[in-house]
Amino acid sequence: MEYWKDENEPIKMFVKLFEEGFKDADLSGGLKKVNQLIWFDYTQDGPNCSFWVDCRGGDLKTGPGKPADAPDLTMSLSADDAHRSWSNKLNPVMAITRKKIRVKGSATGLLKLAPKLKKVAELYVKVLKDEGKEGIILK
């Protein structure tokens, strides 16, 4: 991994990113419309390198690891490409087309949130700064 010291570090950042995003009315409203259990699978970088986001039924939850229920959508990529994506430096549609992101299930709802990636990237930078990870912020 180019940006992370171990498999747990990116998951800590990404879970915190979503926890912060849940507090934002615009982002949380968009996520609720997705209405899916999503598993972000980065296990190519380590067996524990994954997290989930549950947007079903109007609730928003997230946590490390694989979800207890079968996910509606699985997004598989490397933790480094996830860092690029959350930093708004990797276009998710192009990455799917080029097989950098492998999708299992319908990503239509999630891809509707792509216009909000700039706002997500701003929040991600804040999370990285709060966690002392300024050195990996992509410019």
Side-chain angles (χ1 to χ4, degrees), residues 89-101:
K89 302 295 182 192
L90 178 69
N91 180 310
V93 175
M94 293 297 291
I96 290 169
T97 303
R98 294 181 179 161
K99 309 272 187 220
K100 279 189 153 198
I101 299 176

Side-chain angles (χ1 to χ4, degrees), residues 18 38-42 49-53 75 77 86 110:
F18 273 87
I38 305 164
W39 182 37
F40 293 93
D41 174 13
Y42 313 132
C49 199
S50 70
F51 75 103
W52 53 268
V53 176
M75 306 281 285
L77 61 154
W86 298 127
L110 192 61

Side-chain angles (χ1 to χ4, degrees), residues 39-137:
W39 182 37
F40 293 93
D41 174 13
Y42 313 132
T43 54
Q44 68 185 37
D45 292 318
N48 298 315
C49 199
S50 70
F51 75 103
W52 53 268
V53 176
D54 192 351
C55 312
R56 298 175 297 180
D59 290 331
L60 297 173
K61 301 174 203 160
T62 187
K66 190 171 184 177
D69 295 340
D72 301 301
L73 171 64
T74 301
M75 306 281 285
S76 301
L77 61 154
S78 72
D80 286 337
D81 280 339
H83 174 63
R84 292 180 190 98
S85 181
W86 298 127
S87 300
N88 202 21
K89 302 295 182 192
L90 178 69
N91 180 310
V93 175
M94 293 297 291
I96 290 169
T97 303
R98 294 181 179 161
K99 309 272 187 220
K100 279 189 153 198
I101 299 176
R102 293 173 313 282
V103 177
K104 183 177 177 187
S106 174
T108 305
L110 192 61
L111 289 175
K112 286 180 182 174
L113 299 177
K116 299 183 188 301
L117 275 176
K118 184 176 179 185
K119 189 172 192 176
V120 171
E122 292 170 1
L123 193 57
Y124 186 50
V125 166
K126 180 186 176 305
V127 167
L128 292 173
K129 285 180 179 176
D130 289 350
E131 295 297 320
K133 297 294 294 177
E134 293 93 341
I136 67 166
I137 294 172

Side-chain angles (χ1 to χ4, degrees), residues 10-27:
I11 301 309
K12 179 181 175 186
M13 300 302 143
F14 302 150
V15 167
K16 185 164 183 180
L17 169 65
F18 273 87
E19 289 171 345
E20 292 297 317
F22 294 164
K23 297 174 187 173
D24 180 280
D26 185 37
L27 294 176

